[in-house]
Amino acid sequence: MPTLTINGREVTVPQGATILDAARSLGVDVPTLCWYPQLPIVGNCRICLVSVAGSPKLVPACATPAADGQVVTTESVAAVENRRGVLSMLLERYPVHDIPDGGSRNEFEALVRRYNVPTTKRSPLPLRTGDERAGDPLIQHDMSTCILCTRCVRACADIQVVGVLDVAQRGEHAEIIVGADGNPEHAGCTWCGECVRVCPTGAIHDLIPLAKLKAESAAQPERTVRSVCPYCAVGCQIDLSVRGNDIQRVRSPWIEETTPNIGSTCVKGRFGFDFAMHRDRLTKPLIRRGWVKRDGTWRFEPSPDDVARWGRRGGPWREIREEATTRKQRPKFNPLQSLRLADAPLGDPRDRVATPKEWYEPFREATWDEALDLVASQLVRLRDERGPNSLAVFSSAKCTNEENYVLQRLVRGGLWTNNIDHCTRLCHSSSVSAMQRAMNTSAASGSMREVEHESDVIFILGANTTESHPVFGAAIKRAQKRGATLIVADPRRIELAQRADIHLQMLPGTDVALLNAMLHHVLECGLEDKEFIRTRTHGFEAVREAVAPYTPERAETITGVPAHLIREAAERYARGPKSSTLWAMGLTQHHTGTDIVTSLLNLLLCCGMIGRWGAAMMPIRGQNNVQGASDMGAIPMSYTDYLPVTDPSVRRMYAEAWGVPEERLSLTAGLKVTEIVKPESGVVGMYIMGENPIISDPDVAHAEEWFRNLEFLAVQDLFLTETARYADVVLPGSSFAEKTGTFVNTERRIQLAHKAIDPPGEARADLDILIELSNRIGLPAPFADASAVMDEIARVTPSWRGVSYARLEGSGLQYPVPDAQSPGTFFLFDDEFPTADGKATLTPVEFMPPAELPDAEYPFFMNTGRQLYHWHTGTMTRRATGLDSREPTPTVEINADDARALGIADGDPVRITSRRGSVVLSARVSPRVARSQVFLPMHYREAAANLLTRSDVLDPYAGIPEFKVSAVRIEPVTAERVEEGNGKRSTALGARPAAAESWSD
Amino acid sequence: MGYPHTSHPKETPVLSQYFGDPGARSLDGWKQRGGYRALEKALGMSPADIVNEVKESGLRGRGGAGFPTGVKWSFMKPGDGKPHYLCVNADESEPGTFKDREIMRWTPHALIEGAAIGAYAIGAETCYIYIRGEFTEPLRVMNAAVKEAYAAGVIGPNAMGTGKRIDVHVHKGAGAYICGEETALMNSLEGKRGNPRIKPPFPAVAGLFGKPTTINNVETLAAVPHILNRGAAWYKGMSRGNPKSTGTKLFSVCGNVAKPGNYEVEMGFPFKEFLYELCGGPLPGRRFKAIIPGGSSVPIQTVEEAEATVMDYEGFIAQGTMLGSGGVIVFDDSQCMVKHIARLARFYAHESCAQCTQCREGTAWTTRILERIERGHGTMADLDTLLELADQMTGKTICVLSDSCAAPIVSGIKKFRSEFEAHITGKRCPMGATAAA
């Protein structure tokens, strides 16, 4: 702990701290340019040089260790003279005429002003140059303002661990380059914008989505509002720059703030916000034509014309099934091509999924009073006439905790049913059921930071983290750089698999065999944590017997993973000493999802890899609030905090809290998403908030048919989605930026997002809508604002008891937060599990193959999932101009050998057919998929992957469908054959030559 | 011995004894000339004894900085559980310096032997010889010699049959002057851009691949076998001036001199005698005007200063310059100093790695000013700007490339100001020369 003197003030700093650290701890502002917190120190700008007594030369504050007895002067004559010299030298090649008189626009110019450096040029040196990103839809360069601090190079290489940028040339010719050929695509750029964040001059800057802003909103932002990213469950905090009622851009919180993302974002977080200002936003409630109110009663009396054309609730659109087999244009693969704006008189040609105008035809605009009245009256009518269980509600993992809470309160206390569920059913429900069975928990045990900083081994299964949770993916890459061993189990050779120390590339759905074999080997080597097993678990003997037959050799025949790799992975995982276990959809979305997760938990518990800092158990959640929506009881079997609906004492507590008669609250668990959307479910009326099941449910064709046949459907959403177009009433809600509320990320962190702008037109905050609806159906919801809702949540939720808005500012709180003093809980289960006796239970599981295996007719495994640039059903990302321009069309990843055998070239149109349906989309020949496997992204309406998936085989515990394995066949398509499949001839298609070239223009 | 000249009687040929003798290149030939006896002896000694012997000899780094070699070796702590590395800096790129080239061309085994001893002394099993990319012939010779040494078991997993492992790898640079800077050399070896690293940490703590590393110059290591063979006292005895400078030193002489070439003299040899007797003095009808005595990075001397200089580390400093790498560049009275200083600045501007602001911008800016003056377009204010820039470029950057660019500018303007002024006032070069293209 050296003690030194800076500008006459003494300070003691930790060993290893630099002079700069010491100065910062005193609040002494030493100017820096190349230095940036958490980036490697290179000390190249030379502006932080300070005087140290006894040293003949100035020393760089950023790179010189603080030493005992040092006497430092930060603004000595020599230091200031040097700084002026550095700044004036940098100014020689800077566009000085653009610096505002007496003012400054960026960090560098602020220093020029601070040191009063004249902005007149003396040298004939030319302005600096560098690689430009001409035509890039998201990030652009103006390298004349580059000062070569190389922050961007290091941010790319060391924070995001990508390495797109570098310095080329020497001396005065040195410049920042983008990959070897200037093409970010070739260099592996992920458009995360980390370079934008760190650039001190704006030489690297993001593009503002001007087309979506009002003209007057393009000037300097008026204010910055802290929010939480609306995409994945990493829960990145973001700062919205706002002017008027428009968001201009997303900025990163300062890197030294404690946020889950330490200020990083991914491409979606930084560039995916403009959907909120898209012209497709619903601004008024819509009511299906035909609903009339007479004598105080709503009746549906559609015109015979409409019925003849569309049926009870159709419209002038093609069903998902029909659309799937139309031709898809894939632009030639040049991400930087300039856009042909002239060709698109209606605006940005990239908005190719904007809501078609004719979709609005079956609706009329309505007042809020009418719309809410209609919804309330129909829900109450169905409840009373057809029974509470004829109703069902989809809540939303994209909505706040408060909204989910109020909605489930409304459903249970007002509609008297437990039929409420949300998309957790389709993602981690099997993790929850397995974790509930093993240790009575439903969330991750640890934190993302411990994985990054502490874990010795990181075992990731079925999680494409660098695309689906990119900010966490980067943290994992940093962990590996620090020395952690990375073991990846995934059928695809995704980025992390390529980087992994061990890649277990198993056949889809064979996880149980793999994990049982790993445990088998751990036990054979005696590497299990015997003490942990003895003191903290039940059921070990049964599991030992169950895994005994799973030798690595036998597993090799099932999984295709070489036995020696299974052994090595098992040993490294068990030896730890601190191994973290991460998994996502690759494990859960199987008809054996609960078994698969159970076999993983068996391995984890037998190795004792939980309950220590650095040994995290982490199901990586998908949506930004899927954890919170479940915590809030938007699931059919429990109230908040997973208190079971079947328990009468729990019921009594909630009945009291909500002021409803106890018998109104049902003691029967409700239906799950996958059970609701079935003819035999008995559900005839639905309220859907912010979900789009017609794209996200398995076997979409059947789902679409089912929704068509509902008696009443109300949808609360931002856009007229594929689901909303079938609604009787559409209520325009609010985007993440238009409301205050809390979200829970994958590490149980409750975070507060603030309202930045007002909803467009007459659209209302989601919470307002729900409160009013609740009041109208007879369940008073006496909440003045979101904060008041949180107070009630805290009252009824034991592990959130200490949560209040005042405490959530900043980095938020990781629950459990049992009281108002608790700092939250960074990791769980250090001494016991929340079970009756504090022990976890091991459950033996046997391998069962996927329900549908490839055969002669359908010879390929089909896997579905996410892409980097899109999100779920595309409702948001496909309306985010930049994101959609990066990935504009649906593609299927196919192995090069398979493609060759089938005569398919990259970009060719292909038809994928399963027993459920077929889609036409273009092929992307990719080394990531193994032979006989294809990967379909789930985001595209025009080629909905879920037309092919199966809805009739579900996990028996969790009810999750098998999204990850379907048997399909794949065939190249010519234009004629598309038409055949389509059954009709479209004029656009007919006008084109039938040659294959016309497919990829 | 100033190959291709015959040895001058006042020279002390130790390292240069076999320059021009093709027989010394082969392993057998080298052994016949007494080679590898020192290595055999060293492998029988304890590393600490070798380090002490070298310390005792007074051998100092011949790359330019003159740091005591034995002391440098003693920074490598034995038994720290980490791999140690020895890097041989054979990236001899300093303008005016070509001594290491000759050592490698004629006596490759001298370097291998010295490197093997050094590696053993610092506890390294791996030694990298980083050779300048343009040195095609020395590279070929070194590669052949290393191959031969491996085949004969002199080096390798069982060096000289002692069971000790000494691996020697020859690495070809890609033509960057800056890679002769020790930390840039390590970055380059690691496959990174050859940028100098910030110090601390020093290489002995975290060097190549983050492990303790020593970097020695070719000439330094080539002297080590002689020290072990003939004793520290013998080496120490070769010192005519300051006792802190011992042994012999190779000087590469080029420029306006009758007999350019390499000369090996004892430390403390009088520079005047060296220039006029060994090197044959100026060309007929010419007079010496200026000398850069230690490679292009050191301050320029007037001929008067040079004639008063004693050739050792302290002697050159006493006369306002440095021994440096021993590259003596001689200018006679026909030369335009402005032109040569401009040319030097341009070299540094071209070779700047571009990390540090002062170096990247300063070298480019000063070059432009100097070339402008040289063409007759300069102003008197330019001289002040030059001195101001040179001041900003001195002592403020990560490595000393920037200082090296500034040194001849400052000393040039100080000592030959009239030539600069003549260019400015006459609006042309008074010597009629134009700046090198």
Side-chain angles (χ1 to χ4, degrees), chain B residues 37-47 49-50 120 160 162 164:
Chain B
R37 265 186 240 144
L39 178 58
E40 199 172 356
K41 182 177 172 191
L43 293 177
M45 294 165 70
S46 79
D49 287 344
I50 302 173
Y120 173 65
M160 308 290 277
T162 57
K164 285 157 187 149

Side-chain angles (χ1 to χ4, degrees), chain A residues 24-45:
Chain A
R24 279 161 53 89
S25 74
L26 282 176
V28 172
D29 185 9
V30 178
T32 53
L33 286 171
C34 70
W35 179 86
Y36 197 83
Q38 300 182 22
L39 285 183
I41 292 168
V42 290
N44 65 28
C45 74

Side-chain angles (χ1 to χ4, degrees), chain A residues 224-241:
Chain A
T224 299
V225 181
R226 177 61 57 88
S227 187
V228 177
C229 174
Y231 292 102
C232 79
V234 171
C236 297
Q237 293 195 14
I238 52 178
D239 283 335
L240 306 176
S241 295

Side-chain angles (χ1 to χ4, degrees), chain A residues 32-203:
Chain A
T32 53
L33 286 171
C34 70
W35 179 86
Y36 197 83
Q38 300 182 22
L39 285 183
I41 292 168
V42 290
N44 65 28
C45 74
R46 314 309 287 177
I47 202 166
C48 72
L49 265 49
V50 294
S51 296
V52 173
S55 164
K57 289 183 182 179
L58 298 171
V59 303
C62 70
T64 308
D68 223 17
Q70 254 169 357
V71 179
V72 179
T73 314
T74 64
E75 303 281 321
S76 65
V77 173
V80 169
E81 198 182 313
N82 170 61
R83 273 170 217 158
R84 291 170 55 94
V86 167
L87 291 167
S88 70
M89 282 183 171
L90 290 171
L91 280 172
E92 290 300 326
R93 307 193 58 186
Y94 191 86
V96 288
H97 303 297
D98 296 343
I99 306 176
D101 281 342
S104 63
R105 299 168 301 173
N106 56 44
E107 256 181 271
F108 168 66
E109 291 175 8
L111 286 179
V112 169
R113 295 301 180 206
R114 171 171 161 189
Y115 286 98
N116 204 16
V117 182
T119 55
T120 44
K121 284 197 192 213
R122 293 187 290 164
S123 82
L125 294 169
L127 290 181
R128 193 167 300 292
T129 57
D131 273 358
E132 307 286 337
R133 292 173 77 136
D136 191 301
L138 304 173
I139 301 172
Q140 296 219 328
H141 291 184
D142 170 10
M143 283 305 179
S144 65
T145 59
C146 174
I147 55 168
L148 275 173
C149 65
T150 69
R151 278 191 204 172
C152 54
V153 175
R154 284 170 287 145
C156 192
D158 294 283
I159 292 187
Q160 292 286 341
V161 200
V162 179
V164 172
L165 302 171
D166 210 337
V167 179
Q169 316 295 345
R170 296 184 303 204
E172 63 178 295
H173 307 291
E175 60 176 24
I176 300 293
I177 54 164
V178 178
D181 61 357
N183 186 336
E185 187 81 51
H186 296 170
C189 180
T190 62
W191 273 265
C192 65
E194 199 75 41
C195 48
V196 174
R197 183 243 299 244
V198 297
C199 183
T201 64

